[in-house]
Amino acid sequence: MNSYCLICHEGISAKISWNALFSREKEVLICESCKSKLEEITGEQCDICCRPLHDAFRMCNDCTRWEENPEWKGALDKNISLFQYNNFLKEVIARFKFRGDYILSRLFAENVKKRISELDIDLITPIPLSTERQYERGFNQAEAIILNAGFDPVNLLTRIHSEKQSKKSRKERIRIPQVFQISAEINLEGKKVVLVDDIYTTGSTLRHAAKVLKQAGSEKVFSFTVAR
Amino acid sequence: MKGLYFYFSIASLLGILCALKSFLFFFILAIIYLVILFKYKRFSRLQLICIAFVYILFYFSTQIKITHYKTKIPVDTNTFYITFNQDPKIDGDSLQILVKEIRLNEKILLHYRIRSEMEKQMLEKETFYGRKCEVIGELKSPQIAKNENEFNYKEYLYQNQIYWILESNETPLKKCVVEKPSLLLMLKEIRFKGINYLKVHFPPDIAAFGTALIFGDRSLMSPETLSSFQKAGIVHLLAISGLHVSLLVEMVYLIGIRIGVTKENMVNFLLSILPVYAILAGGAPSVIRAVLMLFLVLCTVKFKRSLRLSSFDAISLAFSFYLFVYPMVIYDVGFQLSFSVSFGIILSAPVILKRYHRNFSKLISTSVVAQMSGLPILLYYFFSSSLMSIISNLIFIPFFSFFLLPGLYLLFFIQVIFGNVPTFINLFFEKVIHFSTSLLEYLTKISIFTFTPGRPNWFFLLIYIMLIVLIFMIWEMQMQYYRKFLVMLGTFLLLFQIVWNQNNPIGEVTMIDVGQGDCILIHLPFGKGNYLIDTGGTLSFNEEKWKTRKNPFEVGKNIVVPYLKSKGITKIDKLILTHGDMDHIGGAFAIIKEIQIKQILIAAVRDPSETENAIVSVAKKKQIPVVKVSAGDHWENRNSYFYVLSPEKNFSGVRNRGSITLFMKIGGLAWFSGGDLDQEGEEAIVKKYPNLSFDILKVGHHGSRTSSSEEFLTRYKPKISLISVGKNNRFGHPNQEVLDKLNNIHSVIYRTDQQGAITYRFFHEQGTFLPFLP
């Protein structure tokens, strides 16, 4: 009991309520104020990428464009994201992956576990880092998220190309040639796979990976990210 | 440790109960508590050790304290050197005051019967504080409870470390020297003077409310007003509650800031004034609780800002501190209510109460939370609870908080500063108070809202507590489909004990100890009916006006009605008044007033007594049918049977001989009960019903020689004889001759003067006699 917020390091005061008093104590990782800054994605959203939509459109513009392109049509079946990628979360994720605050991956563990368990899938695989990047960071953030949620990641993919995604524009990202290849000798025929990453920005990375998996015979490819 | 003090307060409570109640039970409970904290609440090892330490600390400190809780004064002492510890209570011709025996440093309750009106007037003006006096008198043991669920005065005094009542033979101020009182006593004296100041300078109504709200003294309040506040469930407003203290402190704080005092100085000022205020306000547990909480919060504001004590932490700490200094206060009703209601409100504030935004719904929800949090305690001590209180709270809390309390303070200070309050202002206040009390009386008349399930036993208490916690938890969750649940649980909460009462398979025949008098309650199983044979009664003498007490003891009101309510009995099917004597039917007035009566049976005699006539006319007003019964009348009820043996119709002999005499079959036994039936009457019954046979005899006329004829006893040879008689009564009942006669026929005797109430408890026509005192 009684701990400090993983994000802001302030002491967390115990919650005062009848339910808090008479029920099992849950591990509290972040304080109420930090929690309130995380915006959970709820309500109307894009059928594919989980982007919050304001009108009752079924699909967002981006996804429509992806789906209109015969090369990418149906590569990714469905993406699930937990939180909106606002400035606060941007800072948290930057701290997590770029500055190596590994423990922050525990913040999302409970949610990740719950949402992934709801999916009907066979394999969970992280988006891989290039060896160089992995060496630089010391861990793969996607793998960390999977591990903390209590799942077993299966590394199905490796990277061919090693340029950083975050330094590229949307157009560049879409146009780049395939960056992933199947690494494991697992028969993916008819398998349902979920790809895990930290952020869904344009969906390009995930679609590239999904495409490779689909080509290898996967029946369905979902993706799961913490931020969108 | 922020937010965790509550868990420490539970540990301190367990430690105290371990010392005061049952060691083993609460020790095991404490172990279970620690395990729960470890397994379910993720307490660290260090935290657990701290909690265990608190538990052990409280256990030992209480254990050490209670070894000192016994009298050191020898019984036969008759000269005492005392100082006065409290305001005198002068009521009628009685003076009562808490004193301290100086040599042995022990509290005693001094009682003195005032001799004359002049002496009374003199004593009313006297200051008792700061005097050391020699008093001659004798020590008496306080009264114990003699009926189930009755208030136990001796225990109550013991809980306050008072073991004796000193009956003083002479005015306690006869031989005194003046000495400088301690700071504490000086403050008490200021309070006493303040009360008298109000009494002298204001009209009675304003003085009564003023002393209650400013000094926490309700003695000027009329018993009628008090009882209507009680019935409406808002008597807490007449005590200085936590609400008052926080309002007051807020007012003072704002005024201080307004006139330019810095916040820091204001905090210092409040910190120094709060303890003084606690004493001036009478030091009731609710005041101490509120003052302690504020004090702790202000302390953290002053010394350790980073701590930011929440109200939940503050009340938990206040609870532990209070109990550490004074563990016996755990028995105090005011303490229990104040803390449980405040805990309830504080726990509900962050989620439940936050949901209600409008003033109206906020007040109602707070009132419901308060009512539910206090319910088990209210039922345990007062046997009933008024649902009306939710409505009356709604009206009276704002009235008291925002009008009466600041208003009365204002009047008080105007009077103190200018020496006079304009008459029209006083008149205005009097009118408002008068209006509010009449409104309250009107509200209390709507009694359908009173809920009287009786005193819950420990098992029911547990059910109540669990249900209440469950209701709070579900209420908090706020999901649409839980509403249904809430309504269901709420209904169950209010009904389960009443439904149990209605279906209880255990029946009881109880000879209630009403002192010198008769009162037998027949409570049939499965809610089949309640019959009351006689009511007891207190003889009242026409005394001079100065001698009469404000709220004199009356057995019907003070013993029988509370007994019935404690059993959850709100309806009497037949009230049987055997004959016209005061000690048999005097309590009927109070019972008719408080309990629903279906029917009254009186003896069909030619000349009913004045008291009987008065009861009949009261019954008429309340539309209660009065039936005159005579020999041959009878009724049945399931397995019970009742037959009137005497008197004959229009009987015109002496009153005792005309008592309704009943032959009854209840709980597998045959009973004979004949009020004050005399020897001649008994012999007439022997002649008329020679083949009658019964097991239990209610001995006639409290064991007087005029009843229990030899012929009657030897003919029927009852196995058990019940004598309802007052201790040390001036008639010398029961007569030794009668006792000898009963012994000769080997009848087992139960006496209320020695054994308290005598209960025959039966199940399926089998039962046992259980005297209240072994």
Short mmCIF file of all heavy atoms in Angstrom, two decimals, chain A residues 1-2 10-27, chain B residues 1-2 4 6-7 40-43 310 312 344 347-348 350 469 472-473 476-477:
data_model
loop_
_atom_site.label_atom_id
_atom_site.label_comp_id
_atom_site.label_asym_id
_atom_site.label_seq_id
_atom_site.Cartn_x
_atom_site.Cartn_y
_atom_site.Cartn_z
N MET A 1 0.84 -1.21 0.00
CA MET A 1 0.00 0.00 0.00
C MET A 1 0.86 1.24 0.00
O MET A 1 2.00 1.20 0.38
CB MET A 1 -0.81 0.01 1.28
CG MET A 1 -2.19 -0.45 1.02
SD MET A 1 -3.37 -0.02 2.21
CE MET A 1 -4.29 1.23 1.40
N ASN A 2 0.24 2.29 -0.40
CA ASN A 2 0.91 3.58 -0.35
C ASN A 2 2.15 3.58 -1.21
O ASN A 2 3.13 2.95 -0.90
CB ASN A 2 1.33 3.90 1.07
CG ASN A 2 0.68 5.15 1.52
OD1 ASN A 2 -0.52 5.27 1.31
ND2 ASN A 2 1.42 6.05 2.08
N GLU A 10 4.92 11.78 -7.34
CA GLU A 10 4.27 12.27 -6.12
C GLU A 10 3.70 11.07 -5.36
O GLU A 10 3.37 10.05 -5.98
CB GLU A 10 3.09 13.19 -6.50
CG GLU A 10 3.50 14.56 -7.01
CD GLU A 10 4.05 15.43 -5.89
OE1 GLU A 10 3.46 15.41 -4.79
OE2 GLU A 10 5.05 16.12 -6.11
N GLY A 11 3.58 11.21 -4.03
CA GLY A 11 2.97 10.13 -3.26
C GLY A 11 1.51 9.98 -3.65
O GLY A 11 0.83 10.96 -3.92
N ILE A 12 1.06 8.74 -3.70
CA ILE A 12 -0.34 8.51 -4.03
C ILE A 12 -1.11 8.33 -2.73
O ILE A 12 -0.80 7.45 -1.95
CB ILE A 12 -0.51 7.25 -4.89
CG1 ILE A 12 0.33 7.36 -6.15
CG2 ILE A 12 -1.96 7.02 -5.23
CD1 ILE A 12 0.36 6.10 -6.97
N SER A 13 -2.11 9.17 -2.50
CA SER A 13 -2.90 8.95 -1.27
C SER A 13 -3.97 7.92 -1.56
O SER A 13 -4.52 7.85 -2.65
CB SER A 13 -3.51 10.25 -0.78
OG SER A 13 -3.93 11.04 -1.84
N ALA A 14 -4.24 7.12 -0.52
CA ALA A 14 -5.21 6.05 -0.69
C ALA A 14 -6.56 6.66 -1.04
O ALA A 14 -6.92 7.73 -0.57
CB ALA A 14 -5.32 5.26 0.60
N LYS A 15 -7.29 5.98 -1.85
CA LYS A 15 -8.59 6.46 -2.27
C LYS A 15 -9.56 6.32 -1.09
O LYS A 15 -9.52 5.33 -0.37
CB LYS A 15 -9.07 5.62 -3.45
CG LYS A 15 -9.90 6.40 -4.40
CD LYS A 15 -10.20 5.56 -5.62
CE LYS A 15 -11.43 6.13 -6.31
NZ LYS A 15 -11.98 5.21 -7.27
N ILE A 16 -10.40 7.32 -0.90
CA ILE A 16 -11.36 7.24 0.20
C ILE A 16 -12.74 6.97 -0.37
O ILE A 16 -13.34 7.82 -1.01
CB ILE A 16 -11.37 8.56 1.00
CG1 ILE A 16 -10.01 8.78 1.65
CG2 ILE A 16 -12.46 8.53 2.06
CD1 ILE A 16 -9.81 10.16 2.17
N SER A 17 -13.20 5.75 -0.17
CA SER A 17 -14.57 5.43 -0.56
C SER A 17 -14.93 4.10 0.08
O SER A 17 -14.06 3.39 0.58
CB SER A 17 -14.70 5.32 -2.08
OG SER A 17 -14.20 4.08 -2.51
N TRP A 18 -16.21 3.80 0.08
CA TRP A 18 -16.65 2.54 0.69
C TRP A 18 -16.05 1.35 -0.04
O TRP A 18 -15.63 0.39 0.58
CB TRP A 18 -18.18 2.46 0.66
CG TRP A 18 -18.84 3.41 1.58
CD1 TRP A 18 -19.26 4.67 1.29
CD2 TRP A 18 -19.11 3.21 2.97
NE1 TRP A 18 -19.78 5.26 2.40
CE2 TRP A 18 -19.72 4.38 3.44
CE3 TRP A 18 -18.91 2.15 3.85
CZ2 TRP A 18 -20.12 4.52 4.76
CZ3 TRP A 18 -19.33 2.29 5.17
CH2 TRP A 18 -19.92 3.48 5.61
N ASN A 19 -16.04 1.45 -1.36
CA ASN A 19 -15.51 0.32 -2.13
C ASN A 19 -14.01 0.15 -1.92
O ASN A 19 -13.52 -0.96 -1.83
CB ASN A 19 -15.83 0.49 -3.61
CG ASN A 19 -17.26 0.09 -3.90
OD1 ASN A 19 -17.62 -1.07 -3.78
ND2 ASN A 19 -18.09 1.07 -4.22
N ALA A 20 -13.30 1.29 -1.84
CA ALA A 20 -11.86 1.20 -1.64
C ALA A 20 -11.58 0.56 -0.29
O ALA A 20 -10.65 -0.22 -0.13
CB ALA A 20 -11.25 2.59 -1.71
N LEU A 21 -12.41 0.90 0.71
CA LEU A 21 -12.17 0.40 2.06
C LEU A 21 -12.46 -1.09 2.17
O LEU A 21 -11.74 -1.82 2.83
CB LEU A 21 -13.07 1.18 3.03
CG LEU A 21 -12.70 1.07 4.48
CD1 LEU A 21 -11.33 1.69 4.70
CD2 LEU A 21 -13.72 1.81 5.32
N PHE A 22 -13.51 -1.53 1.50
CA PHE A 22 -13.95 -2.91 1.72
C PHE A 22 -13.62 -3.85 0.58
O PHE A 22 -14.17 -4.92 0.48
CB PHE A 22 -15.44 -2.95 2.02
CG PHE A 22 -15.77 -2.39 3.36
CD1 PHE A 22 -16.27 -1.11 3.51
CD2 PHE A 22 -15.56 -3.15 4.50
CE1 PHE A 22 -16.56 -0.59 4.75
CE2 PHE A 22 -15.84 -2.64 5.75
CZ PHE A 22 -16.34 -1.36 5.88
N SER A 23 -12.75 -3.44 -0.32
CA SER A 23 -12.40 -4.41 -1.36
C SER A 23 -10.89 -4.59 -1.41
O SER A 23 -10.14 -3.82 -0.83
CB SER A 23 -12.96 -3.97 -2.71
OG SER A 23 -12.53 -2.67 -2.97
N ARG A 24 -10.49 -5.58 -2.14
CA ARG A 24 -9.07 -5.91 -2.26
C ARG A 24 -8.31 -4.71 -2.81
O ARG A 24 -8.73 -4.05 -3.74
CB ARG A 24 -8.95 -7.09 -3.22
CG ARG A 24 -7.54 -7.56 -3.45
CD ARG A 24 -7.57 -8.56 -4.58
NE ARG A 24 -7.85 -9.90 -4.09
CZ ARG A 24 -6.92 -10.76 -3.70
NH1 ARG A 24 -5.66 -10.42 -3.72
NH2 ARG A 24 -7.25 -11.95 -3.28
N GLU A 25 -7.17 -4.46 -2.20
CA GLU A 25 -6.36 -3.32 -2.63
C GLU A 25 -5.72 -3.61 -3.97
O GLU A 25 -5.04 -4.61 -4.13
CB GLU A 25 -5.28 -3.06 -1.59
CG GLU A 25 -4.44 -1.84 -1.85
CD GLU A 25 -5.19 -0.54 -1.61
OE1 GLU A 25 -6.16 -0.57 -0.83
OE2 GLU A 25 -4.82 0.47 -2.19
N LYS A 26 -5.95 -2.73 -4.93
CA LYS A 26 -5.31 -2.91 -6.23
C LYS A 26 -3.99 -2.16 -6.22
O LYS A 26 -3.85 -1.15 -5.55
CB LYS A 26 -6.20 -2.34 -7.33
CG LYS A 26 -7.30 -3.30 -7.71
CD LYS A 26 -7.83 -2.91 -9.09
CE LYS A 26 -9.27 -3.37 -9.24
NZ LYS A 26 -10.21 -2.27 -9.26
N GLU A 27 -3.05 -2.68 -7.01
CA GLU A 27 -1.79 -1.97 -7.10
C GLU A 27 -2.01 -0.68 -7.88
O GLU A 27 -2.51 -0.69 -8.99
CB GLU A 27 -0.76 -2.84 -7.83
CG GLU A 27 0.63 -2.31 -7.66
CD GLU A 27 1.63 -3.17 -8.40
OE1 GLU A 27 1.24 -3.86 -9.37
OE2 GLU A 27 2.79 -3.15 -8.00
N MET B 1 2.23 7.25 5.24
CA MET B 1 1.11 6.74 6.02
C MET B 1 -0.20 7.43 5.66
O MET B 1 -1.24 7.15 6.21
CB MET B 1 1.37 6.97 7.51
CG MET B 1 2.47 6.09 8.06
SD MET B 1 2.05 4.34 7.90
CE MET B 1 3.58 3.60 8.37
N LYS B 2 -0.12 8.38 4.73
CA LYS B 2 -1.31 9.13 4.37
C LYS B 2 -2.44 8.20 3.94
O LYS B 2 -2.21 7.28 3.17
CB LYS B 2 -0.97 10.08 3.24
CG LYS B 2 -1.47 11.46 3.49
CD LYS B 2 -0.70 12.46 2.69
CE LYS B 2 -1.29 12.63 1.31
NZ LYS B 2 -0.54 13.59 0.53
N LEU B 4 -3.86 6.03 5.61
CA LEU B 4 -3.82 4.72 6.26
C LEU B 4 -4.19 4.77 7.73
O LEU B 4 -4.28 3.75 8.38
CB LEU B 4 -2.41 4.10 6.14
CG LEU B 4 -1.93 3.83 4.73
CD1 LEU B 4 -0.64 3.04 4.78
CD2 LEU B 4 -2.96 3.07 3.94
N PHE B 6 -6.81 5.19 9.16
CA PHE B 6 -8.02 4.45 9.49
C PHE B 6 -7.69 3.04 9.98
O PHE B 6 -8.26 2.56 10.95
CB PHE B 6 -8.93 4.36 8.26
CG PHE B 6 -10.15 3.51 8.49
CD1 PHE B 6 -11.20 4.00 9.24
CD2 PHE B 6 -10.23 2.21 8.00
CE1 PHE B 6 -12.32 3.22 9.49
CE2 PHE B 6 -11.34 1.43 8.23
CZ PHE B 6 -12.38 1.94 8.99
N TYR B 7 -6.70 2.42 9.31
CA TYR B 7 -6.37 1.03 9.67
C TYR B 7 -5.74 0.97 11.06
O TYR B 7 -5.87 -0.01 11.77
CB TYR B 7 -5.45 0.43 8.61
CG TYR B 7 -6.14 0.37 7.27
CD1 TYR B 7 -5.91 1.34 6.30
CD2 TYR B 7 -7.09 -0.61 6.99
CE1 TYR B 7 -6.58 1.32 5.08
CE2 TYR B 7 -7.76 -0.64 5.79
CZ TYR B 7 -7.50 0.33 4.84
OH TYR B 7 -8.17 0.30 3.65
N TYR B 40 -4.92 -8.77 1.41
CA TYR B 40 -5.83 -8.07 0.53
C TYR B 40 -5.51 -6.60 0.37
O TYR B 40 -5.89 -5.97 -0.59
CB TYR B 40 -7.27 -8.20 1.04
CG TYR B 40 -7.79 -9.59 0.89
CD1 TYR B 40 -7.60 -10.54 1.89
CD2 TYR B 40 -8.46 -9.97 -0.27
CE1 TYR B 40 -8.05 -11.83 1.74
CE2 TYR B 40 -8.92 -11.26 -0.43
CZ TYR B 40 -8.71 -12.20 0.58
OH TYR B 40 -9.15 -13.47 0.41
N LYS B 41 -4.79 -6.05 1.35
CA LYS B 41 -4.57 -4.61 1.30
C LYS B 41 -3.12 -4.26 0.98
O LYS B 41 -2.74 -3.11 1.07
CB LYS B 41 -5.01 -3.99 2.63
CG LYS B 41 -6.51 -4.04 2.86
CD LYS B 41 -7.20 -3.03 1.95
CE LYS B 41 -8.71 -3.08 2.13
NZ LYS B 41 -9.35 -2.15 1.19
N ARG B 42 -2.32 -5.26 0.69
CA ARG B 42 -0.94 -5.05 0.27
C ARG B 42 -0.15 -4.16 1.24
O ARG B 42 0.55 -3.24 0.83
CB ARG B 42 -0.89 -4.40 -1.11
CG ARG B 42 -1.44 -5.29 -2.19
CD ARG B 42 -1.66 -4.46 -3.44
NE ARG B 42 -2.02 -5.32 -4.56
CZ ARG B 42 -1.15 -5.90 -5.36
NH1 ARG B 42 0.12 -5.74 -5.18
NH2 ARG B 42 -1.56 -6.66 -6.35
N PHE B 43 -0.32 -4.40 2.53
CA PHE B 43 0.46 -3.63 3.49
C PHE B 43 1.88 -4.18 3.53
O PHE B 43 2.08 -5.39 3.44
CB PHE B 43 -0.17 -3.73 4.88
CG PHE B 43 -1.20 -2.68 5.14
CD1 PHE B 43 -2.36 -2.65 4.39
CD2 PHE B 43 -1.01 -1.72 6.11
CE1 PHE B 43 -3.31 -1.69 4.61
CE2 PHE B 43 -1.96 -0.74 6.32
CZ PHE B 43 -3.11 -0.73 5.58
N SER B 310 -6.19 14.50 5.24
CA SER B 310 -7.57 14.47 4.76
C SER B 310 -8.50 14.32 5.95
O SER B 310 -8.07 13.94 7.03
CB SER B 310 -7.76 13.29 3.81
OG SER B 310 -7.70 12.09 4.54
N PHE B 312 -10.62 12.14 6.42
CA PHE B 312 -10.67 10.72 6.78
C PHE B 312 -9.51 10.36 7.72
O PHE B 312 -9.68 9.67 8.72
CB PHE B 312 -10.61 9.88 5.51
CG PHE B 312 -10.87 8.41 5.73
CD1 PHE B 312 -12.01 8.00 6.39
CD2 PHE B 312 -9.98 7.46 5.26
CE1 PHE B 312 -12.26 6.65 6.58
CE2 PHE B 312 -10.23 6.12 5.45
CZ PHE B 312 -11.36 5.72 6.11
N GLY B 344 -19.24 7.70 8.38
CA GLY B 344 -20.15 7.42 7.26
C GLY B 344 -20.16 8.56 6.26
O GLY B 344 -20.03 8.35 5.06
N LEU B 347 -16.72 8.96 4.47
CA LEU B 347 -16.48 7.92 3.47
C LEU B 347 -17.38 8.09 2.25
O LEU B 347 -17.03 7.66 1.15
CB LEU B 347 -16.75 6.54 4.09
CG LEU B 347 -15.54 5.82 4.66
CD1 LEU B 347 -15.98 4.52 5.29
CD2 LEU B 347 -14.53 5.52 3.57
N SER B 348 -18.54 8.70 2.47
CA SER B 348 -19.46 8.85 1.34
C SER B 348 -19.19 10.11 0.56
O SER B 348 -19.64 10.25 -0.58
CB SER B 348 -20.90 8.88 1.85
OG SER B 348 -21.17 7.75 2.63
N PRO B 350 -16.52 11.58 -0.98
CA PRO B 350 -15.79 11.70 -2.25
C PRO B 350 -16.55 11.14 -3.45
O PRO B 350 -16.32 11.61 -4.55
CB PRO B 350 -14.51 10.89 -2.03
CG PRO B 350 -14.46 10.60 -0.59
CD PRO B 350 -15.84 10.67 -0.06
N VAL B 469 -23.14 -1.53 4.94
CA VAL B 469 -21.91 -1.40 4.15
C VAL B 469 -22.17 -1.78 2.69
O VAL B 469 -21.76 -1.09 1.77
CB VAL B 469 -20.79 -2.28 4.75
CG1 VAL B 469 -19.63 -2.38 3.78
CG2 VAL B 469 -20.31 -1.71 6.07
N PHE B 472 -24.01 0.96 0.92
CA PHE B 472 -23.11 2.06 0.57
C PHE B 472 -22.24 1.70 -0.63
O PHE B 472 -22.03 2.52 -1.52
CB PHE B 472 -22.22 2.42 1.77
CG PHE B 472 -22.88 3.36 2.74
CD1 PHE B 472 -22.94 3.06 4.08
CD2 PHE B 472 -23.44 4.56 2.30
CE1 PHE B 472 -23.55 3.93 4.98
CE2 PHE B 472 -24.04 5.43 3.19
CZ PHE B 472 -24.10 5.11 4.53
N MET B 473 -21.74 0.47 -0.64
CA MET B 473 -20.86 0.07 -1.74
C MET B 473 -21.60 0.08 -3.07
O MET B 473 -21.08 0.54 -4.08
CB MET B 473 -20.26 -1.30 -1.47
CG MET B 473 -19.16 -1.25 -0.42
SD MET B 473 -18.59 -2.88 0.09
CE MET B 473 -17.66 -3.37 -1.33
N GLU B 476 -22.45 3.52 -4.25
CA GLU B 476 -21.26 4.18 -4.77
C GLU B 476 -20.96 3.79 -6.22
O GLU B 476 -20.46 4.58 -6.99
CB GLU B 476 -20.08 3.77 -3.89
CG GLU B 476 -18.94 4.72 -3.88
CD GLU B 476 -17.95 4.32 -2.81
OE1 GLU B 476 -17.24 3.33 -3.00
OE2 GLU B 476 -17.92 4.96 -1.77
N MET B 477 -21.29 2.53 -6.54
CA MET B 477 -20.92 2.04 -7.88
C MET B 477 -21.69 2.73 -8.98
O MET B 477 -21.22 2.81 -10.10
CB MET B 477 -21.14 0.54 -7.95
CG MET B 477 -20.09 -0.22 -7.19
SD MET B 477 -20.25 -1.92 -7.58
CE MET B 477 -20.21 -2.67 -6.00
#
